[in-house]
Amino acid sequence: MDFSSFLTSLGTSFLIFIVLMLLFTWLSRRPGNSVVYYPNRILKGLDPWEGGSRSRNPFDWIREAFSSSEQDVINMSGVDTAVYFVFLSTALGILVLSGLILLPVLLPVAATDDNVKAQKTNGSNQTFSEIDNLLMGNIKDDSPRLWAFLFATYWVSLVTYFLLWKAYVHVSVLRANALMAPGLKPEQFAVLVRDIPPAPEGQTRKEQVDSYFKSIYPETFYRSMVVTNNKEVNKIYEKLEGYKKKLAHAEAVYDGSKKTGKPEGLRPTTKTGLLGLVGKKVDSIEHYNEKIKELTPKLEAEKKATLREKQQACAFAFFTNRVAAASAAQSLHAQMVDTWTVMEAPEPRQIIWSNLKIKYFQRIIRQYVVSFIVALTILFYMIPIGLISALTTLDNLKKLLPFLKPIVDISAVKTVLEAYLPQIALIVFLALLPKLLMALSKAEGIPSVGHAVRATSGKYFYFTVLNVFIGVTLGATLFKTLKSIENKPNSIVSLLASSLPGNATFFLTFVALKFFVGYGLELSRVVPLIIFHLKKKYLCKTEAELKQAWLPGDLGYATRIPGDMLVITIALCYSVIAPLIIPFGVVYFGLGWLVLRNQALKVYVPSFESYGRMWPHINSRVIAALVLFQVTMFGYFGVKKFSFCTFLLIPLPILSLLFVYVCQKKFYRSFSDTALEVASRELKEIPNMETVFRSYIPPSLSSEKADDDHFEDALSQVSRIGSFA
């Protein structure tokens, strides 16, 4: 990409962001759009425009984001969101502190050398642009100027260690404070018990679980809940709820017809066949009422059958205080590790019920199988991504699709396509992957949504780094230098390494596209707004349907964090080779902090809370990116024939691994388990243990009755002691 195309890409992206920001300012002030731009505030019963959100100033949202505190974020979106902003702040700090030294030092050092000019004079096959004069590639081999780049590599590494350590300490405090908070959290009084052995003859499953825990925790064990196979009862429950929604919709349509047509109204009809499109035409209201009457007793019968006949080898055990539950979750209960496996209970809303029954060794085997499938996915995806990076250049498109040549040769079209085509193709290609990785993560037997999100995030991170960063770099470089490699096969290493800075322009525009266009669309919420108004006009007839149409979901950590990780990986790996990447990384994380701060306070609603358990994984992956940067620099210094000083970089990867080891030993245990000193903090009020217990009953098995006699076969009746903290 030449310099003019690069500037066109940057300028166009910035213009798009400005337009989208102004669009956001105008649309967010309209009352009919408040549920799209302020759903989090509305759900919490707050005024959407409190604090000047309806001001005509297009930059007021920036002032509100800056003025918000970390506690404001926790109050509105939870601890996980606050921890995510710690990550954004840390990444921003790493790049800012690195840039303060690297930009004023390395850019002049590179710009005043003439290696690029010498290669042009010698008739090199490589294509150079004006940007290449500011990169490390412009330094001659074995030049004393390379010392500056060596010291810069150490500076970036030390800054990263320092800020990650500070962040780890801060997140640990955030997590501890949240867990010590006096509010009632049902999961702090429960443990998940898996791999329960067969019940002794003459003893039911609930009696087995109760007697086991009562013998170990005679004073603090409250009761247990045996997990059941809810597949059939869930089907009936979902079908029944579906008919209730359809009935409400039909009644709303009927009421609306009385206002717009004849006073007696027009009763809606439906067809009894597939999707209501085929079959006999019937009165909708009568039909849905009949279905509800038919399914209600069927659901009650299936509930009883499920509780009596479909008990599984797993359960939840409840304790009367948090310390007992935390101790139980961290203890080895059985001599054999594949029986009576006890762990912290997930939040009730997080539980993946179908995974709880999976046995210990089955889970291990599943993890290996899934890891193998993910490895194959990464390898097979590298081929098409490499082809995308190679084939979406204009020269290659003209060769493959000659009929496009007249259009592509138009100057304006050529400039725009060169600026955006490869990046858009890559972003679209990556959008197809997350659902597959989430399904694979759940297939491992993971018991909670939060854990599945962390597992998916890890898989997606390694995929993006190996395929997007490494795959694009190698794919583009190999394609450019294929003829040279054919003529001189032994030159492959030097050709690949010397071409590495040339790929910097691709990643500069890739990052610019992500922060200007990506965050512009995030802020403006144009797509959710259009979808909401289409649903409101043509589909939604009831308040419940309308609310479902504007519910925003959460931040989507499974894909958002790996996307940010890709940017920090690119920024770190090119920070010394191409220091121009640093301002782009700073803008990405700075703008991301601002836009997502606004979204966290006003838009997104968390779907789970893990109290920062994502942080150890974030820390490890930033270090993985740092190690990749250090190894890259080791290889590039070697290509630059800076042999003696290249060995001075060997301590850096070792130091990085040592840093991860120390962090894991010092901090990780308090993230995987709840410290007893944290759990021992007194609660504001004595918890109602029956409320804690009933919060874990699945919706399909819940009852409006105050008593739970109909659970007598699956839920323990052993302990009826009074509840206390």
Side-chain angles (χ1 to χ4, degrees):
M1 182 186 295
D2 59 28
F3 191 61
S4 63
S5 295
F6 171 72
L7 289 179
T8 300
S9 170
L10 192 61
T12 308
S13 298
F14 177 72
L15 184 62
I16 290 172
F17 176 77
I18 294 298
V19 170
L20 290 172
M21 186 180 70
L22 294 174
L23 193 63
F24 159 75
T25 305
W26 177 61
L27 291 173
S28 63
R29 294 202 310 264
R30 300 176 68 87
N33 297 335
S34 61
V35 292
V36 176
Y37 293 100
Y38 308 99
N40 193 3
R41 294 185 62 84
I42 290 171
L43 289 171
K44 287 183 168 57
L46 302 174
D47 179 7
W49 293 287
E50 184 180 342
S53 295
R54 210 170 179 179
S55 168
R56 293 182 179 275
N57 187 341
F59 303 106
D60 260 357
W61 66 275
I62 298 176
R63 176 186 56 79
E64 292 170 19
F66 271 125
S67 63
S68 64
S69 66
E70 190 170 61
Q71 190 58 47
D72 292 331
V73 174
I74 293 173
N75 293 340
M76 294 300 295
S77 290
V79 178
D80 286 332
T81 305
V83 169
Y84 174 65
F85 281 106
V86 172
F87 162 59
L88 293 180
S89 302
T90 303
L92 180 63
I94 290 170
L95 295 178
V96 168
L97 290 181
S98 298
L100 288 175
I101 301 297
L102 269 59
L103 290 172
V105 173
L106 299 188
L107 288 181
V109 170
T112 53
D113 212 339
D114 58 357
N115 188 46
V116 169
K117 184 178 180 181
Q119 290 187 56
K120 287 181 180 178
T121 304
N122 295 334
S124 173
N125 292 329
Q126 296 182 55
T127 303
F128 297 99
S129 68
E130 294 88 338
I131 297 175
D132 292 309
N133 293 317
L134 302 175
L135 309 184
M136 189 176 172
N138 197 38
I139 305 295
K140 292 178 180 177
D141 293 350
D142 201 24
S143 169
R145 294 170 181 252
L146 292 171
W147 279 103
F149 293 86
L150 180 69
F151 289 130
T153 305
Y154 266 89
W155 173 251
V156 172
S157 301
L158 294 174
V159 164
T160 304
Y161 300 143
F162 173 71
L163 291 180
L164 282 179
W165 183 269
K166 281 189 65 178
Y168 222 139
V169 172
H170 179 58
V171 173
S172 296
V173 173
L174 275 181
R175 174 176 167 81
N177 289 340
L179 292 174
M180 288 190 293
L184 177 63
K185 302 177 183 69
E187 63 273 12
Q188 291 187 316
F189 293 87
V191 296
L192 172 60
V193 187
R194 305 172 84 177
D195 311 307
I196 301 174
E201 189 174 350
Q203 194 176 47
T204 64
R205 177 72 75 188
K206 73 176 184 63
E207 291 171 343
Q208 176 195 21
V209 175
D210 286 334
S211 60
Y212 184 83
F213 280 96
K214 192 70 175 175
S215 64
I216 301 174
Y217 307 97
E219 301 297 327
T220 55
F221 175 64
Y222 177 66
R223 61 192 300 193
S224 66
M225 176 190 295
V226 176
V227 175
T228 53
N229 183 347
N230 302 331
K231 185 176 180 180
E232 290 302 318
V233 74
N234 283 344
K235 282 183 181 178
I236 299 172
Y237 175 78
E238 289 167 7
K239 192 179 290 186
L240 178 61
E241 291 300 306
Y243 281 126
K244 288 179 180 178
K245 291 177 182 177
K246 288 178 180 179
L247 175 61
H249 180 93
E251 289 175 341
V253 170
Y254 180 50
D255 291 339
S257 70
K258 294 178 181 178
K259 299 174 184 176
T260 58
K262 297 179 180 180
E264 64 273 17
L266 179 65
R267 292 181 70 85
T269 60
T270 188
K271 293 183 179 180
T272 57
L274 181 66
L275 300 176
L277 301 175
V278 296
K280 181 182 177 183
K281 184 181 284 189
V282 295
D283 183 286
S284 296
I285 296 175
E286 292 179 0
H287 176 67
Y288 296 141
N289 272 317
E290 288 173 5
K291 288 292 184 181
I292 291 170
K293 289 177 183 177
E294 176 187 327
L295 287 173
T296 301
K298 190 175 180 182
L299 177 64
E300 290 301 319
E302 185 60 36
K303 280 183 183 180
K304 293 178 181 178
T306 298
L307 293 168
R308 287 194 177 96
E309 303 165 9
K310 299 181 181 180
Q311 298 177 25
Q312 299 179 318
C314 47
F316 288 97
F318 298 88
F319 297 83
T320 55
N321 65 63
R322 300 192 294 185
V323 174
S327 299
Q330 301 173 38
S331 302
L332 179 67
H333 285 76
Q335 183 68 25
M336 299 299 167
V337 295
D338 61 336
T339 59
W340 295 104
T341 306
V342 180
M343 60 181 289
E344 288 186 355
E347 283 184 306
R349 59 180 173 172
Q350 286 197 55
I351 300 169
I352 305 175
W353 293 95
S354 59
N355 281 355
L356 301 186
K357 66 179 184 296
I358 300 172
K359 292 290 187 179
Y360 181 83
F361 287 111
Q362 288 181 12
R363 297 196 295 271
I364 294 175
I365 293 170
R366 282 168 176 252
Q367 288 172 5
Y368 282 115
V369 171
V370 167
S371 298
F372 178 71
I373 294 172
V374 170
L376 288 180
T377 303
I378 290 172
L379 291 174
F380 281 106
Y381 259 67
M382 188 174 285
I383 296 171
I385 282 188
L387 289 174
I388 284 174
S389 66
L391 297 178
T392 51
T393 61
L394 293 187
D395 291 338
N396 294 327
L397 281 177
K398 285 190 284 188
K399 291 176 184 176
L400 293 171
L401 305 170
F403 62 88
L404 291 178
K405 188 174 181 180
I407 301 172
V408 170
D409 285 340
I410 299 172
S411 179
V413 174
K414 180 180 180 180
T415 301
V416 172
L417 288 178
E418 280 188 337
Y420 286 113
L421 187 60
Q423 291 80 8
I424 290 174
L426 180 59
I427 289 170
V428 170
F429 195 75
L430 287 176
L432 304 175
L433 188 68
K435 289 189 181 297
L436 170 64
L437 296 181
M438 177 61 83
L440 288 173
S441 296
K442 289 182 178 179
E444 293 181 32
I446 288 171
S448 69
V449 173
H451 190 174
V453 167
R454 294 194 294 276
T456 303
S457 175
K459 295 176 179 66
Y460 199 56
F461 165 72
Y462 292 114
F463 174 87
T464 53
V465 169
L466 292 172
N467 280 303
V468 179
F469 177 65
I470 296 176
V472 166
T473 301
L474 293 181
T477 305
L478 281 170
F479 200 90
K480 290 177 184 176
T481 58
L482 194 57
K483 289 186 178 179
S484 300
I485 292 171
E486 287 177 358
N487 296 331
K488 296 180 181 180
N490 61 348
S491 67
I492 185 169
V493 175
S494 60
L495 283 170
L496 289 175
S498 60
S499 299
L500 195 63
N503 292 310
T505 53
F506 172 86
F507 288 115
L508 286 173
T509 52
F510 178 75
V511 174
L513 190 65
K514 280 180 73 71
F515 66 67
F516 277 142
V517 179
Y519 284 134
L521 289 171
E522 173 69 61
L523 180 66
S524 66
R525 289 182 62 77
V526 173
V527 176
L529 181 69
I530 293 171
I531 292 173
F532 166 70
H533 281 294
L534 287 174
K535 287 183 175 179
K536 180 181 178 181
K537 184 173 179 62
Y538 297 108
L539 300 177
C540 300
K541 302 299 180 183
T542 67
E543 286 298 321
E545 290 174 337
L546 200 60
K547 183 177 179 181
Q548 192 61 39
W550 58 257
L551 277 179
D554 59 19
L555 274 167
Y557 300 112
T559 53
R560 190 178 295 277
I561 291 178
D564 296 335
M565 285 291 181
L566 174 61
V567 175
I568 192 66
T569 301
I570 292 169
L572 285 174
C573 288
Y574 278 95
S575 60
V576 174
I577 293 175
L580 280 178
I581 196 77
I582 294 176
F584 286 80
V586 168
V587 174
Y588 176 86
F589 286 105
L591 193 59
W593 189 94
L594 278 174
V595 171
L596 294 174
R597 192 83 161 188
N598 178 82
Q599 307 302 79
L601 293 170
K602 300 171 185 175
V603 179
Y604 292 118
V605 179
S607 58
F608 65 87
E609 179 62 81
S610 67
Y611 304 101
R613 291 191 68 172
M614 176 70 83
W615 181 258
H617 305 274
I618 292 175
N619 180 80
S620 298
R621 286 159 199 158
V622 173
I623 292 297
L626 185 68
V627 170
L628 183 60
F629 155 68
Q630 292 162 346
V631 171
T632 300
M633 294 310 302
F634 180 84
Y636 195 66
F637 275 115
V639 169
K640 283 292 184 180
K641 299 181 175 58
F642 206 51
S643 303
F644 172 73
C645 295
T646 299
F647 291 102
L648 294 177
L649 291 176
I650 292 177
L652 284 180
I654 298 172
L655 193 59
S656 296
L657 296 176
L658 183 62
F659 179 83
V660 170
Y661 177 79
V662 172
C663 285
Q664 186 174 23
K665 290 298 180 183
K666 182 175 178 65
F667 298 110
Y668 184 75
R669 183 70 189 277
S670 65
F671 282 82
S672 61
D673 299 309
T674 301
L676 297 186
E677 68 173 359
V678 171
S680 63
R681 182 66 63 93
E682 290 185 7
L683 292 175
K684 184 185 296 184
E685 57 186 27
I686 298 174
N688 184 331
M689 288 307 300
E690 202 61 23
T691 301
V692 171
F693 173 79
R694 297 189 71 84
S695 67
Y696 278 86
I697 298 174
S700 58
L701 295 177
S702 64
S703 172
E704 296 178 359
K705 298 177 182 178
D707 62 86
D708 52 359
D709 291 339
H710 65 301
F711 289 102
E712 61 184 9
D713 292 293
L715 310 183
S716 165
Q717 304 293 317
V718 169
S719 177
R720 293 298 187 185
I721 60 177
S723 54
F724 54 92

